[in-house]
Amino acid sequence: MSKTTRATQTLAKAGVSFTVHSYDYDPGAERVGLHAAEALGEDPSRVLKTLMAEVDGKPVCCIVPSDREVSMKKLAAAFGGKSANMMKPAEAERLTGYHVGGISPFGQRKNVPTAIEEAALGEALVYINGGQRGLQVRLAPKDAQAALKAIIAPLIA
């Protein structure tokens, strides 16, 4: 497994301090984020999942703790929209250039508005997908926010 991806290259180019962590990805895992947390020996609140969605038909990216669910109502509100829905996996892959299970918010093919769950900022360090299945980057949530120019909002149900 390569530890250099578009995501890690984007972070390095932005001067973000991060470390790379790999684990054995299980394609049969019911919840990829929880599997990653368990494999890394981390609390699921520190292992964030990257989800692609649409707000009023426009693509957005949201980053939330792996043990929580996104509130579509809160997601829409965060982007000033009326409705939100999860993006179809094939569309998420086409838009980001990453495979489902390895979608990173960093280095996506097309930059889209991004929101990070406000609770994540209570952690000193978080894990976010590094651009391939079984690869996570660990960094300060404020650094992730800055690199992504992300908004911070309440997103979880």
Side-chain angles (χ1 to χ4, degrees):
M1 167 188 304
S2 173
K3 291 192 178 188
T4 301
T5 64
R6 282 193 330 272
T8 59
Q9 290 170 336
T10 298
L11 287 169
K13 187 176 176 184
V16 174
S17 176
F18 68 96
T19 55
V20 177
H21 303 265
S22 58
Y23 65 95
D24 289 331
Y25 175 81
D26 178 3
E30 195 171 311
R31 296 177 70 188
V32 175
L34 291 178
H35 168 67
E38 185 178 322
L40 293 167
E42 286 290 337
D43 188 292
S45 65
R46 283 192 293 276
V47 179
L48 308 181
K49 57 186 174 183
T50 304
L51 303 171
M52 300 304 294
E54 295 174 325
V55 172
D56 295 344
K58 294 182 174 74
V60 299
C61 177
C62 61
I63 303 167
V64 299
S66 60
D67 60 343
R68 304 301 298 268
E69 295 297 321
V70 174
S71 161
M72 290 298 132
K73 187 175 181 176
K74 289 179 181 178
L75 180 61
F79 289 104
K82 295 189 185 316
S83 68
N85 59 281
M86 295 306 298
M87 192 178 283
K88 289 182 172 54
E91 178 65 12
E93 289 184 344
R94 185 191 65 74
L95 185 73
T96 65
Y98 293 120
H99 294 292
V100 169
I103 293 179
S104 178
F106 309 108
Q108 291 187 0
R109 188 174 284 152
K110 181 179 180 198
N111 287 331
V112 300
T114 301
I116 299 175
E117 163 55 40
E118 64 186 3
L121 270 68
E123 301 291 343
L125 295 169
V126 295
Y127 291 81
I128 299 176
N129 194 287
Q132 71 185 35
R133 295 168 177 162
L135 191 73
Q136 298 279 318
V137 291
R138 185 176 70 175
L139 70 169
K142 280 284 193 191
D143 289 345
Q145 177 195 8
L148 295 165
K149 298 177 178 56
I151 60 171
I152 301 300
L155 301 172
I156 52 180

